[in-house]
Coordinates of all heavy atoms in Angstrom, one line a residue:
M1409 N -183.7 -48.6 -55.9 CA -183.8 -49.8 -55.0 C -182.5 -50.5 -54.8 O -181.7 -50.7 -55.7 CB -184.8 -50.8 -55.7 CG -185.2 -52.0 -54.8 SD -186.4 -53.0 -55.7 CE -185.5 -54.6 -55.7
L1410 N -182.2 -50.7 -53.5 CA -181.0 -51.4 -53.1 C -181.1 -52.9 -53.2 O -182.0 -53.5 -52.6 CB -180.6 -51.0 -51.7 CG -179.3 -51.5 -51.2 CD1 -178.1 -50.9 -52.0 CD2 -179.1 -51.2 -49.7
I1411 N -180.2 -53.5 -54.1 CA -180.3 -54.9 -54.2 C -179.1 -55.5 -53.4 O -178.0 -55.1 -53.6 CB -180.2 -55.3 -55.7 CG1 -181.4 -54.8 -56.4 CG2 -180.1 -56.8 -55.8 CD1 -181.5 -55.1 -57.8
I1412 N -179.4 -56.5 -52.5 CA -178.4 -57.1 -51.8 C -178.4 -58.6 -52.0 O -179.5 -59.1 -52.5 CB -178.5 -56.9 -50.2 CG1 -179.9 -57.3 -49.7 CG2 -178.3 -55.4 -49.9 CD1 -180.0 -57.3 -48.2
C1413 N -177.4 -59.3 -51.7 CA -177.3 -60.7 -51.9 C -178.4 -61.4 -51.1 O -178.5 -61.1 -49.9 CB -175.9 -61.2 -51.6 SG -175.8 -63.0 -51.6
A1414 N -179.1 -62.3 -51.7 CA -180.2 -63.0 -51.0 C -179.7 -63.9 -49.8 O -180.4 -64.2 -48.9 CB -181.0 -63.8 -51.9
D1415 N -178.4 -64.3 -49.9 CA -177.9 -65.2 -48.9 C -177.1 -64.5 -47.8 O -177.5 -64.5 -46.6 CB -177.1 -66.3 -49.5 CG -176.6 -67.3 -48.6 OD1 -177.1 -67.4 -47.4 OD2 -175.8 -68.1 -48.9
C1416 N -176.0 -63.8 -48.2 CA -175.2 -63.2 -47.2 C -175.5 -61.7 -47.0 O -174.9 -61.1 -46.1 CB -173.7 -63.4 -47.5 SG -173.1 -62.4 -48.9
A1417 N -176.4 -61.1 -47.8 CA -176.8 -59.7 -47.7 C -175.7 -58.7 -47.9 O -175.7 -57.6 -47.4 CB -177.4 -59.5 -46.3
C1418 N -174.7 -59.1 -48.7 CA -173.6 -58.1 -49.1 C -174.3 -57.2 -50.1 O -175.3 -57.6 -50.8 CB -172.4 -58.8 -49.6 SG -172.6 -59.6 -51.2
S1419 N -173.7 -56.0 -50.3 CA -174.3 -55.1 -51.3 C -173.8 -55.2 -52.7 O -172.8 -55.9 -52.9 CB -174.1 -53.6 -50.8 OG -172.8 -53.4 -50.5
D1420 N -174.4 -54.6 -53.6 CA -174.0 -54.6 -55.0 C -172.6 -54.2 -55.2 O -172.1 -53.2 -54.8 CB -174.9 -53.6 -55.8 CG -174.9 -53.8 -57.3 OD1 -174.1 -54.7 -57.7 OD2 -175.5 -53.1 -58.0
G1421 N -171.8 -55.1 -55.9 CA -170.4 -54.8 -56.2 C -169.4 -55.3 -55.1 O -168.2 -55.2 -55.2
A1422 N -170.0 -55.7 -53.9 CA -169.1 -56.1 -52.8 C -168.9 -57.6 -52.9 O -169.6 -58.4 -53.6 CB -169.8 -55.8 -51.5
L1423 N -167.8 -58.1 -52.2 CA -167.5 -59.5 -52.1 C -168.5 -60.2 -51.2 O -168.9 -59.6 -50.2 CB -166.1 -59.8 -51.6 CG -165.0 -59.6 -52.6 CD1 -163.6 -59.8 -51.9 CD2 -165.1 -60.5 -53.8
H1424 N -168.9 -61.4 -51.5 CA -169.8 -62.2 -50.6 C -169.0 -62.5 -49.3 O -167.8 -62.6 -49.3 CB -170.2 -63.5 -51.3 CG -171.1 -63.3 -52.5 ND1 -172.4 -63.0 -52.4 CD2 -170.8 -63.2 -53.8 CE1 -172.9 -62.9 -53.6 NE2 -172.0 -63.0 -54.5
E1425 N -169.8 -62.9 -48.3 CA -169.2 -63.5 -47.1 C -168.5 -64.8 -47.6 O -169.0 -65.4 -48.5 CB -170.2 -63.8 -46.0 CG -170.9 -62.5 -45.5 CD -169.9 -61.7 -44.7 OE1 -169.1 -62.3 -44.0 OE2 -170.0 -60.5 -44.8
P1426 N -167.5 -65.3 -46.9 CA -166.9 -66.6 -47.3 C -167.9 -67.7 -47.3 O -168.7 -67.8 -46.4 CB -165.8 -66.8 -46.2 CG -165.5 -65.4 -45.7 CD -166.8 -64.7 -45.8
F1427 N -167.9 -68.5 -48.4 CA -168.7 -69.6 -48.6 C -170.2 -69.3 -48.7 O -171.1 -70.1 -48.4 CB -168.5 -70.7 -47.5 CG -167.0 -71.1 -47.4 CD1 -166.2 -70.8 -46.3 CD2 -166.4 -71.8 -48.5 CE1 -164.9 -71.1 -46.3 CE2 -165.1 -72.1 -48.5 CZ -164.3 -71.8 -47.4
C1428 N -170.5 -68.1 -49.1 CA -171.9 -67.7 -49.4 C -172.4 -68.6 -50.5 O -171.7 -68.8 -51.5 CB -172.0 -66.2 -49.8 SG -173.6 -65.7 -50.5
T1429 N -173.6 -69.0 -50.5 CA -174.2 -69.9 -51.5 C -174.4 -69.2 -52.9 O -174.6 -69.9 -53.9 CB -175.5 -70.6 -51.1 OG1 -176.5 -69.6 -50.9 CG2 -175.3 -71.4 -49.8
Q1430 N -174.4 -67.9 -52.9 CA -174.6 -67.1 -54.1 C -173.3 -66.8 -54.8 O -173.3 -66.2 -55.9 CB -175.4 -65.8 -53.8 CG -176.7 -66.0 -53.1 CD -177.7 -66.7 -54.0 OE1 -177.9 -66.4 -55.1 NE2 -178.3 -67.8 -53.5
E1431 N -172.2 -67.1 -54.2 CA -170.9 -66.7 -54.8 C -170.6 -67.6 -56.0 O -170.8 -68.8 -56.1 CB -169.8 -66.9 -53.8 CG -168.4 -66.4 -54.3 CD -167.4 -66.0 -53.3 OE1 -167.8 -66.0 -52.1 OE2 -166.3 -65.8 -53.7
I1432 N -170.1 -66.9 -57.0 CA -169.7 -67.5 -58.3 C -168.2 -67.9 -58.3 O -167.4 -67.2 -57.8 CB -169.9 -66.6 -59.5 CG1 -171.4 -66.2 -59.6 CG2 -169.4 -67.2 -60.8 CD1 -172.3 -67.4 -59.9
C1433 N -167.9 -69.2 -58.7 CA -166.5 -69.6 -58.8 C -165.8 -68.9 -59.8 O -166.2 -68.8 -61.0 CB -166.6 -71.1 -59.1 SG -165.0 -71.8 -59.4
P1434 N -164.6 -68.3 -59.5 CA -163.8 -67.6 -60.5 C -163.1 -68.5 -61.5 O -162.6 -68.1 -62.5 CB -162.8 -66.8 -59.6 CG -162.6 -67.6 -58.4 CD -164.0 -68.3 -58.1
F1435 N -163.1 -69.8 -61.2 CA -162.4 -70.8 -62.0 C -163.3 -71.2 -63.2 O -162.9 -71.4 -64.3 CB -161.9 -72.0 -61.3 CG -160.8 -71.6 -60.3 CD1 -161.0 -71.4 -59.0 CD2 -159.5 -71.5 -60.7 CE1 -160.0 -71.1 -58.1 CE2 -158.4 -71.2 -59.8 CZ -158.7 -71.0 -58.5
C1436 N -164.6 -71.5 -62.9 CA -165.5 -72.0 -63.9 C -166.8 -71.2 -64.1 O -167.5 -71.5 -65.1 CB -165.9 -73.4 -63.5 SG -167.0 -73.5 -62.0
G1437 N -167.0 -70.2 -63.3 CA -168.2 -69.3 -63.6 C -169.5 -69.8 -63.2 O -170.5 -69.3 -63.5
T1438 N -169.6 -70.9 -62.4 CA -170.8 -71.5 -61.9 C -170.8 -71.3 -60.4 O -169.8 -71.0 -59.8 CB -171.0 -72.9 -62.3 OG1 -170.1 -73.7 -61.6 CG2 -170.9 -73.2 -63.8
P1439 N -172.0 -71.5 -59.8 CA -172.0 -71.3 -58.3 C -171.0 -72.2 -57.6 O -170.8 -73.3 -57.8 CB -173.5 -71.7 -57.9 CG -174.3 -71.4 -59.2 CD -173.3 -71.7 -60.3
L1440 N -170.3 -71.5 -56.7 CA -169.2 -72.1 -56.0 C -169.6 -73.3 -55.2 O -168.9 -74.3 -55.1 CB -168.6 -71.0 -55.0 CG -167.2 -71.1 -54.6 CD1 -166.2 -71.4 -55.7 CD2 -166.8 -69.8 -53.9
V1441 N -170.8 -73.3 -54.6 CA -171.3 -74.4 -53.8 C -171.4 -75.7 -54.6 O -171.3 -76.8 -54.0 CB -172.6 -74.1 -53.0 CG1 -172.3 -73.2 -51.8 CG2 -173.6 -73.5 -54.0
S1442 N -171.7 -75.6 -55.9 CA -172.0 -76.8 -56.6 C -171.0 -77.2 -57.6 O -171.1 -78.3 -58.3 CB -173.4 -76.7 -57.3 OG -173.4 -75.5 -58.1
C1443 N -169.9 -76.4 -57.8 CA -168.9 -76.8 -58.7 C -167.9 -77.7 -58.1 O -167.8 -77.8 -56.9 CB -168.2 -75.5 -59.3 SG -166.9 -74.9 -58.4
D1444 N -167.1 -78.3 -58.9 CA -166.1 -79.3 -58.3 C -164.6 -78.8 -58.6 O -163.7 -79.6 -58.7 CB -166.3 -80.7 -58.9 CG -166.3 -80.8 -60.4 OD1 -166.0 -79.7 -61.0 OD2 -166.4 -81.8 -60.9
C1445 N -164.5 -77.5 -58.7 CA -163.1 -77.0 -58.9 C -162.2 -77.2 -57.8 O -161.0 -77.4 -58.0 CB -163.2 -75.5 -59.2 SG -163.9 -75.1 -60.8
M1446 N -162.7 -77.3 -56.5 CA -161.8 -77.4 -55.4 C -160.9 -78.6 -55.5 O -159.7 -78.5 -55.3 CB -162.6 -77.5 -54.1 CG -161.7 -77.5 -52.9 SD -162.6 -77.3 -51.3 CE -163.3 -78.9 -51.0
S1447 N -161.5 -79.8 -55.9 CA -160.7 -81.0 -56.0 C -159.6 -80.8 -57.0 O -158.4 -81.2 -56.8 CB -161.5 -82.2 -56.4 OG -162.8 -82.1 -55.8
K1448 N -159.9 -80.2 -58.2 CA -159.0 -80.0 -59.3 C -157.9 -79.0 -58.9 O -156.7 -79.2 -59.1 CB -159.7 -79.6 -60.6 CG -160.4 -80.8 -61.2 CD -161.1 -80.4 -62.5 CE -162.5 -79.8 -62.2 NZ -163.2 -79.4 -63.4
V1449 N -158.4 -77.8 -58.5 CA -157.4 -76.7 -58.2 C -156.5 -77.1 -57.1 O -155.3 -76.8 -57.2 CB -158.2 -75.4 -57.9 CG1 -157.3 -74.3 -57.4 CG2 -159.0 -75.0 -59.1
L1450 N -157.0 -77.7 -56.0 CA -156.1 -78.1 -54.9 C -155.4 -79.4 -55.1 O -154.6 -79.8 -54.3 CB -156.9 -78.1 -53.6 CG -157.6 -76.8 -53.2 CD1 -158.3 -77.0 -51.8 CD2 -156.6 -75.7 -53.0
A1451 N -155.8 -80.1 -56.2 CA -155.2 -81.5 -56.4 C -155.3 -82.3 -55.2 O -154.3 -82.8 -54.6 CB -153.8 -81.4 -56.9
L1452 N -156.6 -82.5 -54.7 CA -156.8 -83.2 -53.4 C -156.4 -84.7 -53.6 O -156.6 -85.3 -54.6 CB -158.3 -83.2 -53.0 CG -158.8 -81.8 -52.7 CD1 -160.3 -81.9 -52.3 CD2 -158.1 -81.2 -51.5
S1453 N -155.8 -85.2 -52.5 CA -155.5 -86.7 -52.5 C -156.8 -87.4 -52.3 O -157.8 -86.8 -51.9 CB -154.6 -87.0 -51.3 OG -155.3 -86.8 -50.1
P1454 N -156.9 -88.7 -52.6 CA -158.1 -89.5 -52.4 C -158.6 -89.4 -50.9 O -159.8 -89.3 -50.7 CB -157.7 -90.9 -52.7 CG -156.6 -90.8 -53.7 CD -155.8 -89.5 -53.2
E1455 N -157.7 -89.4 -49.9 CA -158.1 -89.2 -48.5 C -158.8 -87.9 -48.3 O -159.8 -87.8 -47.6 CB -156.9 -89.4 -47.6 CG -156.3 -90.8 -47.6 CD -155.4 -91.0 -48.8 OE1 -154.9 -90.1 -49.4 OE2 -155.3 -92.2 -49.1
E1456 N -158.2 -86.8 -48.9 CA -158.8 -85.5 -48.7 C -160.1 -85.4 -49.4 O -161.1 -84.8 -48.9 CB -157.8 -84.4 -49.3 CG -156.6 -84.2 -48.4 CD -155.5 -83.3 -49.1 OE1 -155.4 -83.3 -50.3 OE2 -154.8 -82.7 -48.3
Q1457 N -160.2 -86.0 -50.6 CA -161.5 -85.9 -51.3 C -162.6 -86.6 -50.5 O -163.7 -86.2 -50.5 CB -161.3 -86.6 -52.7 CG -162.5 -86.5 -53.6 CD -163.0 -85.1 -53.9 OE1 -162.1 -84.3 -54.4 NE2 -164.2 -84.8 -53.6
H1458 N -162.2 -87.7 -49.9 CA -163.1 -88.5 -49.1 C -163.6 -87.6 -47.9 O -164.8 -87.6 -47.6 CB -162.5 -89.8 -48.6 CG -163.4 -90.6 -47.8 ND1 -164.4 -91.4 -48.4 CD2 -163.5 -90.8 -46.4 CE1 -165.1 -92.0 -47.4 NE2 -164.6 -91.7 -46.2
A1459 N -162.7 -86.9 -47.3 CA -163.1 -86.0 -46.2 C -164.0 -84.9 -46.7 O -165.0 -84.5 -46.0 CB -161.8 -85.4 -45.6
V1460 N -163.8 -84.4 -47.9 CA -164.6 -83.3 -48.4 C -166.0 -83.9 -48.7 O -167.0 -83.3 -48.4 CB -164.0 -82.7 -49.7 CG1 -165.0 -81.8 -50.4 CG2 -162.7 -81.9 -49.4
D1461 N -166.1 -85.1 -49.3 CA -167.4 -85.7 -49.7 C -168.2 -86.0 -48.4 O -169.4 -85.8 -48.4 CB -167.1 -87.0 -50.4 CG -166.6 -86.7 -51.9 OD1 -166.7 -85.6 -52.3 OD2 -166.0 -87.7 -52.4
A1462 N -167.5 -86.5 -47.4 CA -168.2 -86.8 -46.1 C -168.6 -85.5 -45.4 O -169.7 -85.4 -44.8 CB -167.3 -87.7 -45.2
Y1463 N -167.7 -84.5 -45.4 CA -167.9 -83.2 -44.8 C -168.5 -83.3 -43.4 O -169.6 -82.8 -43.1 CB -168.8 -82.3 -45.7 CG -168.3 -80.9 -45.6 CD1 -167.4 -80.4 -46.5 CD2 -168.7 -80.0 -44.5 CE1 -166.9 -79.1 -46.4 CE2 -168.2 -78.7 -44.4 CZ -167.4 -78.3 -45.4 OH -166.9 -77.0 -45.3
I1464 N -167.8 -83.9 -42.5 CA -168.3 -84.1 -41.2 C -168.1 -82.9 -40.3 O -169.1 -82.4 -39.7 CB -167.6 -85.3 -40.5 CG1 -168.0 -86.6 -41.3 CG2 -167.9 -85.5 -39.0 CD1 -167.2 -87.8 -41.0
D1465 N -166.9 -82.3 -40.2 CA -166.7 -81.2 -39.3 C -165.6 -80.3 -39.9 O -164.4 -80.7 -39.8 CB -166.4 -81.7 -37.9 CG -166.3 -80.5 -36.9 OD1 -166.4 -79.4 -37.3 OD2 -166.2 -80.8 -35.7
D1466 N -165.9 -79.1 -40.4 CA -164.9 -78.3 -41.0 C -164.1 -77.5 -39.9 O -163.3 -76.6 -40.3 CB -165.5 -77.3 -42.0 CG -166.6 -76.4 -41.5 OD1 -166.7 -76.3 -40.3 OD2 -167.3 -75.8 -42.4
E1467 N -164.4 -77.7 -38.6 CA -163.5 -77.2 -37.6 C -162.3 -78.1 -37.3 O -161.5 -77.8 -36.5 CB -164.3 -76.9 -36.3 CG -165.3 -75.8 -36.5 CD -164.7 -74.4 -36.9 OE1 -163.7 -74.1 -36.3 OE2 -165.2 -73.8 -37.8
M1468 N -162.4 -79.3 -37.9 CA -161.4 -80.4 -37.7 C -160.6 -80.6 -38.9 O -161.1 -80.4 -40.0 CB -162.1 -81.7 -37.3 CG -163.0 -81.6 -36.0 SD -162.1 -81.8 -34.5 CE -161.9 -83.6 -34.6
E1469 N -159.4 -81.1 -38.7 CA -158.6 -81.5 -39.9 C -159.1 -82.8 -40.4 O -159.7 -83.6 -39.6 CB -157.1 -81.7 -39.4 CG -156.5 -80.4 -38.9 CD -156.3 -79.3 -40.0 OE1 -156.7 -79.6 -41.1 OE2 -155.9 -78.2 -39.6
P1470 N -159.0 -83.1 -41.7 CA -158.3 -82.3 -42.7 C -159.1 -81.2 -43.3 O -158.6 -80.3 -44.1 CB -157.9 -83.3 -43.8 CG -159.0 -84.3 -43.8 CD -159.5 -84.4 -42.3
L1471 N -160.4 -81.2 -43.0 CA -161.3 -80.2 -43.7 C -160.9 -78.7 -43.4 O -161.0 -77.9 -44.3 CB -162.8 -80.4 -43.2 CG -163.6 -81.5 -44.0 CD1 -165.0 -81.5 -43.4 CD2 -163.6 -81.2 -45.5
K1472 N -160.5 -78.5 -42.2 CA -160.1 -77.1 -41.8 C -159.0 -76.6 -42.7 O -159.2 -75.5 -43.3 CB -159.6 -77.1 -40.3 CG -159.4 -75.8 -39.7 CD -159.3 -75.9 -38.2 CE -159.2 -74.6 -37.5 NZ -157.8 -74.0 -37.7
S1473 N -157.9 -77.3 -42.9 CA -156.9 -76.8 -43.8 C -157.2 -76.9 -45.2 O -156.7 -76.0 -46.0 CB -155.5 -77.6 -43.5 OG -155.7 -78.9 -43.7
I1474 N -158.1 -77.8 -45.7 CA -158.5 -77.8 -47.1 C -159.3 -76.6 -47.3 O -159.1 -75.9 -48.4 CB -159.4 -79.1 -47.3 CG1 -158.5 -80.4 -47.3 CG2 -160.1 -79.0 -48.7 CD1 -159.3 -81.7 -47.3
N1475 N -160.2 -76.2 -46.4 CA -161.0 -75.0 -46.6 C -160.1 -73.7 -46.7 O -160.3 -72.8 -47.4 CB -162.0 -74.8 -45.5 CG -163.3 -75.6 -45.8 OD1 -163.5 -75.9 -47.0 ND2 -164.1 -75.9 -44.8
E1476 N -159.0 -73.7 -45.8 CA -158.1 -72.6 -45.8 C -157.3 -72.5 -47.2 O -157.1 -71.4 -47.7 CB -157.1 -72.7 -44.7 CG -157.7 -72.3 -43.3 CD -156.9 -72.7 -42.1 OE1 -155.8 -73.2 -42.3 OE2 -157.4 -72.5 -41.0
R1477 N -156.9 -73.7 -47.7 CA -156.2 -73.7 -49.0 C -157.1 -73.2 -50.1 O -156.7 -72.5 -51.0 CB -155.7 -75.1 -49.3 CG -154.4 -75.5 -48.6 CD -154.2 -77.0 -48.4 NE -154.2 -77.7 -49.7 CZ -154.4 -79.0 -49.9 NH1 -154.8 -79.7 -48.9 NH2 -154.3 -79.5 -51.1
W1478 N -158.4 -73.6 -50.0 CA -159.4 -73.3 -51.0 C -159.6 -71.8 -51.0 O -159.7 -71.1 -52.0 CB -160.6 -74.1 -50.8 CG -161.7 -73.9 -51.9 CD1 -163.1 -73.9 -51.6 CD2 -161.6 -73.8 -53.3 NE1 -163.8 -73.7 -52.7 CE2 -162.9 -73.7 -53.8 CE3 -160.6 -73.8 -54.2 CZ2 -163.2 -73.6 -55.2 CZ3 -160.8 -73.7 -55.5 CH2 -162.1 -73.6 -56.0
A1479 N -159.8 -71.2 -49.8 CA -160.0 -69.8 -49.7 C -158.8 -69.0 -50.2 O -159.0 -68.0 -50.9 CB -160.2 -69.4 -48.2
A1480 N -157.6 -69.5 -49.9 CA -156.4 -68.8 -50.4 C -156.3 -68.9 -52.0 O -155.9 -67.9 -52.6 CB -155.2 -69.5 -49.8
A1481 N -156.7 -70.1 -52.5 CA -156.7 -70.2 -54.0 C -157.7 -69.3 -54.6 O -157.4 -68.7 -55.7 CB -157.0 -71.7 -54.4
L1482 N -158.9 -69.1 -54.0 CA -159.9 -68.2 -54.5 C -159.4 -66.8 -54.5 O -159.6 -66.0 -55.4 CB -161.2 -68.4 -53.7 CG -162.0 -69.7 -53.9 CD1 -163.1 -69.8 -52.9 CD2 -162.5 -69.8 -55.3
D1483 N -158.8 -66.4 -53.4 CA -158.3 -65.0 -53.2 C -157.2 -64.7 -54.3 O -157.2 -63.7 -54.9 CB -157.7 -64.8 -51.8 CG -158.7 -64.5 -50.8 OD1 -159.8 -64.1 -51.2 OD2 -158.4 -64.7 -49.6
K1484 N -156.4 -65.7 -54.5 CA -155.3 -65.6 -55.5 C -155.9 -65.4 -56.9 O -155.4 -64.6 -57.7 CB -154.4 -66.8 -55.4 CG -153.0 -66.5 -56.0 CD -152.1 -67.7 -55.8 CE -150.8 -67.6 -56.6 NZ -150.3 -69.0 -56.9
K1485 N -156.9 -66.2 -57.2 CA -157.5 -66.1 -58.5 C -158.3 -64.8 -58.7 O -158.4 -64.3 -59.8 CB -158.4 -67.3 -58.7 CG -159.2 -67.4 -60.0 CD -158.3 -67.9 -61.2 CE -159.1 -68.0 -62.4 NZ -158.3 -68.2 -63.6
G1486 N -158.9 -64.4 -57.6 CA -159.7 -63.2 -57.6 C -161.1 -63.6 -57.5 O -161.8 -64.0 -58.4
R1487 N -161.7 -63.4 -56.2 CA -163.1 -63.8 -56.0 C -164.0 -62.9 -56.8 O -163.7 -61.7 -57.1 CB -163.4 -63.7 -54.5 CG -162.6 -64.9 -53.8 CD -162.8 -64.7 -52.3 NE -164.2 -64.7 -51.9 CZ -164.7 -64.2 -50.8 NH1 -163.9 -63.6 -49.9 NH2 -166.0 -64.3 -50.5
V1488 N -165.2 -63.4 -57.1 CA -166.2 -62.7 -57.9 C -167.2 -62.0 -57.0 O -167.9 -62.6 -56.2 CB -167.0 -63.7 -58.8 CG1 -168.0 -63.0 -59.7 CG2 -166.0 -64.5 -59.7
P1489 N -167.2 -60.6 -57.1 CA -168.1 -59.9 -56.2 C -169.6 -60.1 -56.7 O -169.9 -60.5 -57.8 CB -167.7 -58.4 -56.4 CG -167.0 -58.4 -57.7 CD -166.4 -59.7 -58.0
F1490 N -170.5 -59.7 -55.8 CA -171.9 -59.8 -56.1 C -172.3 -58.6 -57.0 O -172.1 -57.5 -56.7 CB -172.7 -59.7 -54.8 CG -174.2 -59.5 -55.0 CD1 -174.9 -60.5 -55.6 CD2 -174.9 -58.4 -54.5 CE1 -176.3 -60.4 -55.8 CE2 -176.3 -58.3 -54.7 CZ -177.0 -59.3 -55.4
I1491 N -172.8 -59.0 -58.2 CA -173.3 -57.9 -59.1 C -174.8 -58.1 -59.3 O -175.3 -59.0 -60.0 CB -172.6 -58.1 -60.5 CG1 -171.1 -58.2 -60.4 CG2 -173.0 -57.0 -61.5 CD1 -170.4 -56.9 -59.9
A1492 N -175.5 -57.2 -58.7 CA -177.0 -57.2 -58.8 C -177.5 -57.2 -60.2 O -178.5 -57.9 -60.5 CB -177.6 -56.1 -58.0
Q1493 N -176.9 -56.5 -61.1 CA -177.3 -56.4 -62.5 C -177.3 -57.8 -63.1 O -178.3 -58.1 -63.8 CB -176.3 -55.5 -63.2 CG -176.9 -54.8 -64.4 CD -177.9 -53.7 -64.0 OE1 -177.6 -53.0 -63.0 NE2 -179.0 -53.6 -64.6
E1494 N -176.3 -58.6 -62.9 CA -176.2 -59.9 -63.5 C -177.3 -60.8 -63.0 O -177.9 -61.6 -63.7 CB -174.9 -60.5 -63.2 CG -173.8 -59.9 -64.1 CD -172.4 -60.5 -63.8 OE1 -172.3 -61.5 -63.0 OE2 -171.4 -59.9 -64.3
H1495 N -177.6 -60.7 -61.7 CA -178.7 -61.5 -61.1 C -180.0 -61.2 -61.7 O -180.8 -62.0 -61.9 CB -178.7 -61.3 -59.5 CG -177.6 -62.1 -58.9 ND1 -178.0 -63.2 -58.1 CD2 -176.3 -62.1 -58.9 CE1 -176.8 -63.8 -57.6 NE2 -175.8 -63.1 -58.1
R1496 N -180.2 -59.9 -61.9 CA -181.5 -59.5 -62.5 C -181.6 -60.1 -63.9 O -182.7 -60.6 -64.3 CB -181.6 -57.9 -62.6 CG -182.3 -57.3 -61.4 CD -182.9 -56.0 -61.8 NE -181.9 -55.0 -62.2 CZ -181.3 -54.2 -61.4 NH1 -181.6 -54.2 -60.1 NH2 -180.4 -53.4 -61.8
A1497 N -180.5 -60.0 -64.7 CA -180.5 -60.6 -66.1 C -180.8 -62.1 -66.0 O -181.6 -62.6 -66.9 CB -179.2 -60.3 -66.8
E1498 N -180.3 -62.8 -65.1 CA -180.5 -64.2 -65.0 C -181.9 -64.6 -64.7 O -182.5 -65.6 -65.1 CB -179.6 -64.8 -63.9 CG -178.2 -65.2 -64.3 CD -177.3 -65.5 -63.2 OE1 -177.8 -66.0 -62.1 OE2 -176.1 -65.4 -63.3
A1499 N -182.6 -63.7 -63.9 CA -183.9 -64.0 -63.4 C -185.0 -63.8 -64.5 O -186.1 -64.3 -64.5 CB -184.3 -63.0 -62.3
L1500 N -184.6 -63.1 -65.6 CA -185.5 -62.8 -66.7 C -185.8 -64.0 -67.6 O -184.9 -64.8 -67.7 CB -185.0 -61.6 -67.5 CG -185.1 -60.3 -66.9 CD1 -184.5 -59.2 -67.8 CD2 -186.6 -59.9 -66.6
Ligands
ZN330 ZN1 -173.7 -63.5 -50.8
ZN331 ZN1 -165.7 -73.9 -60.2

């Protein structure tokens, strides 16, 4: 049986699509969407943090460049691929 990511539909062992809700943060090991590593890793200024909290439009600055910096930081650290085996273990 082929197991794919429930959100971005990537296959077992492949990297998720950027900002997939199932992606695990390589910095803390919890889901990337709910962890707060971005603020710490990028050392966001209060203004930038405010923009992230409000999250109005990521096609506009400063969110656009914050997201680019975060994506670069994740790539540098090494993004976590989708491992179907681990998801099965968690579901038990
Ligand atoms: Zn995914
Ligand atoms: Zn994290």
Side-chain angles (χ1 to χ4, degrees):
M1409 187 177 119
L1410 183 65
I1411 298 180
I1412 59 172
C1413 172
D1415 186 11
C1416 73
C1418 69
S1419 54
D1420 193 1
L1423 281 178
H1424 294 278
E1425 294 294 321
F1427 306 111
C1428 170
T1429 60
Q1430 301 295 311
E1431 183 159 353
I1432 299 298
C1433 172
F1435 293 98
C1436 69
T1438 68
L1440 206 44
V1441 283
S1442 56
C1443 85
D1444 58 1
C1445 291
M1446 182 167 83
S1447 320
K1448 285 181 273 179
V1449 172
L1450 298 183
L1452 295 180
S1453 68
E1455 293 76 25
E1456 288 172 328
Q1457 184 61 53
H1458 183 74
V1460 170
D1461 290 341
Y1463 216 94
I1464 294 167
D1465 187 351
D1466 61 14
E1467 293 301 313
M1468 302 275 284
E1469 298 296 357
L1471 278 180
K1472 192 167 181 282
S1473 57
I1474 291 172
N1475 276 341
E1476 282 168 6
R1477 279 158 61 202
W1478 184 220
L1482 290 171
D1483 278 341
K1484 200 173 166 205
K1485 179 77 177 172
R1487 290 175 57 205
V1488 182
F1490 172 61
I1491 307 292
Q1493 208 70 38
E1494 288 179 4
H1495 278 249
R1496 267 205 298 270
E1498 276 172 22
L1500 288 174

